Amino acid sequence: MLVLASLETLDSYRTKHKLTSSFFNVGSVWPLEKFSEAEAQKLVELPKGTIAGAIPALTETNQRLALEWGERHPVRLQLAGRYLWEAQQYRKDVKWAKQQFQSQAGAVLQWPTPPKRPQKLGQWLRWLVLDVPIWVGNLTKRFGLKVDDIFAWVMGLSLIVVAMMCLTGMIPGNYFSDLFKKFLCGSLSPVLGKWCDG
């Protein structure tokens, strides 16, 4: 049996890198939820080696910090433990460990940050037509929709344009709600079920 842990599903890697191996057509995907308090505690108490009864790799203080920073999230706990352990090994302070942890956790786990509003007209156009739609489209990825940036851009731009047209009164408000419902049902019909049929 082969067990893989990954931030993305295998299917998203297959699509992204155009992989065709039948390896990607077998197996099961199990989303890993937050650990219980007991599981998180066991993780931060893991020993340095494989010997039963060995002392934990992290000091008690660092175990508490890892639990606090990790918030029972599997990846955050791993990162917290890693940088606190490195700080212990290389005689660095907790501030260094926290900076390393925050930097890595932010890069791996954060939601996409909204693009900054520009100052010049050309930058405004790029922001409105390219940056914001990609950001809106990428938000959909966080809800489990695996789409490439081009589709995300088109989808985000369409929703923004129709919403702006509704707000200005160019089209009726129910048009946007109908379009949004069609979009959701096209992507999430197995999840939404009866709501899409109505």
Side-chain angles (χ1 to χ4, degrees):
M1 178 186 288
L2 180 64
V3 178
L4 301 172
S6 172
L7 288 171
E8 300 284 341
T9 63
L10 285 179
D11 194 52
S12 68
Y13 292 119
R14 182 188 57 76
T15 304
K16 185 177 183 180
H17 299 290
K18 312 265 189 291
L19 302 171
T20 57
S21 167
S22 58
F23 171 80
F24 294 96
N25 299 325
V26 296
S28 301
V29 176
W30 292 74
L32 190 58
E33 304 294 333
K34 281 189 171 184
F35 290 150
S36 67
E37 288 184 25
E39 290 169 330
Q41 186 68 43
K42 279 185 184 177
L43 181 67
V44 299
E45 290 176 351
L46 285 175
K48 292 178 186 175
T50 57
I51 302 168
I55 60 170
L58 295 176
T59 64
E60 285 186 26
T61 302
N62 284 346
Q63 288 175 30
R64 283 193 300 276
L65 286 172
L67 288 171
E68 180 185 321
W69 298 355
E71 301 171 350
R72 295 189 297 123
H73 187 285
V75 176
R76 290 178 65 89
L77 279 167
Q78 289 284 341
L79 292 172
R82 172 188 175 182
Y83 290 114
L84 286 164
W85 182 80
E86 283 185 16
Q88 281 177 199
Q89 291 298 108
Y90 303 114
R91 302 191 191 285
K92 302 210 180 247
D93 59 13
V94 171
K95 185 179 177 183
W96 175 88
K98 190 165 190 176
Q99 286 173 340
Q100 299 301 312
F101 164 77
Q102 288 174 333
S103 170
Q104 189 67 23
V108 171
L109 297 170
Q110 271 188 345
W111 288 68
T113 54
K116 293 181 181 175
R117 251 187 260 172
Q119 304 298 321
K120 297 180 181 175
L121 179 62
Q123 292 173 333
W124 263 99
L125 288 173
R126 175 191 159 84
W127 179 78
L128 185 62
V129 176
L130 186 65
D131 296 339
V132 170
I134 288 176
W135 174 69
V136 170
N138 280 331
L139 282 178
T140 64
K141 291 181 182 180
R142 295 296 178 169
F143 294 106
L145 301 175
K146 303 302 177 190
V147 293
D148 60 18
D149 277 343
I150 295 171
F151 182 68
W153 177 81
V154 170
M155 181 176 52
L157 181 61
S158 302
L159 289 174
I160 289 170
V161 168
V162 173
M164 288 172 58
M165 291 174 79
C166 286
L167 290 173
T168 59
M170 294 174 70
I171 58 174
N174 62 347
Y175 180 79
F176 178 72
S177 62
D178 290 344
L179 180 69
F180 193 66
K181 183 177 179 180
K182 284 180 185 174
F183 160 72
L184 284 177
C185 289
S187 304
L188 300 171
S189 57
V191 176
L192 299 176
K194 291 180 182 177
W195 183 74
C196 291
D197 297 335

